[in-house]
Amino acid sequence: MHPFQENLQMWFSRKLPDRAQNQCFDIPLVLSSDIGLVRKENQDRVAAIYTGKKTINPLFAVAVADGMGGMRDGGLCSTLSLSSFFYALVHHRNLSIHDRAMEAIRHANEEVFKIYSGNGGSTLTAVLIDSYGKQLFVHLGDTRIYTFGFNEKVERQTTDDSFAEAVGGSGRELLQFVGMGESMQPKIADLPSDKTFCAITTDGIHSIEDKTLSRVLENSSDIKQASDRLIALSRWCGGHDNSTSAVFNISKITESLAFYEGSGIRLWDANGDLTTLWLREEDQAFNHRQGRQPESSGDINNDLPDKAPPKDDVTTEEKPKRQRSSTKRPKKKKREDAYPKNIELDIEVGNPDEQGDVDADSK
């Protein structure tokens, strides 16, 4: 597994509160997730990524995954699906947005199937927007996309891959999901460009009565209000399942990204955000001393302004607070050139009180 994907998986796996919500003010986006009133584990995952202006074909994507009920390790599968999907979006930056989406969902499917052989999986539904304003969605499972606006008609953009909706049966069992293997057939299609708001939801939210859900959305004047009401509505209806949503102002995403000044690859989930910068190729000797293997020429950072060769590793890491050992180790005298002087590494994590200290020292 590539180090970037591995670090994403670790970050998505961290312990979150039973109810979490993250409103991004740089980009009009609100991510929320609630364990509900019945479940003991939240198997939903929601996150967004912006690859940054310094990469080829800058891309913004927001995705929601829901672990498969009745199968193995639903939470782990949704985490692996999301981390694999985001990694592949960055890795395949030279492709068109459609092909990029296809490669990303394929990679997620392969990674989950490699471990669970079809006995574990998740849904995955995502919206992708490139720097030209092209927007599309990729869909697998029964996570849904709704477009809406204040006093505007609510329109559902996806069809569930279930017996009931896909073939006219009566069951909710899924015919398509991430991790099913070679027979996976995702839906990739353009998203209407004339809509104001967009919501991606798991079945803990959209399992409520359709008319009630529509009334809530069409009477929400902004994305924060819509997100709050969706989570509250799920609880009012019994909170029988995990309830997760990504609500964003799709009409203003491209404009917001044009003025976005953040550096590196930025990620958001329901409880914080993470920004990573990558080690440069000139630090290869340092990585070799640390026992790391360089990546192939297909890796991520050969498109920075200084045309540096591809990077070889990623060392983003989040660690809990810990006590220093009382046993002191003898200090070793370091040569002046023992470590590279220009390692470019930065981590910013939201909600530090919830997540603990961040150790950004790569030495």
Side-chain angles (χ1 to χ4, degrees), residues 267-306:
L267 296 114
W268 300 264
D269 72 358
N271 200 49
D273 58 273
L274 178 73
T275 302
T276 70
L277 298 180
W278 298 65
L279 292 174
R280 293 183 178 276
E281 180 74 8
E282 52 262 33
D283 302 317
Q284 194 172 40
F286 170 73
N287 286 310
H288 179 72
R289 288 194 294 271
Q290 302 301 313
R292 301 189 183 121
Q293 296 298 319
E295 281 292 317
S296 66
S297 58
D299 202 11
I300 290 176
N301 285 325
N302 56 357
D303 51 353
L304 291 179
D306 57 3

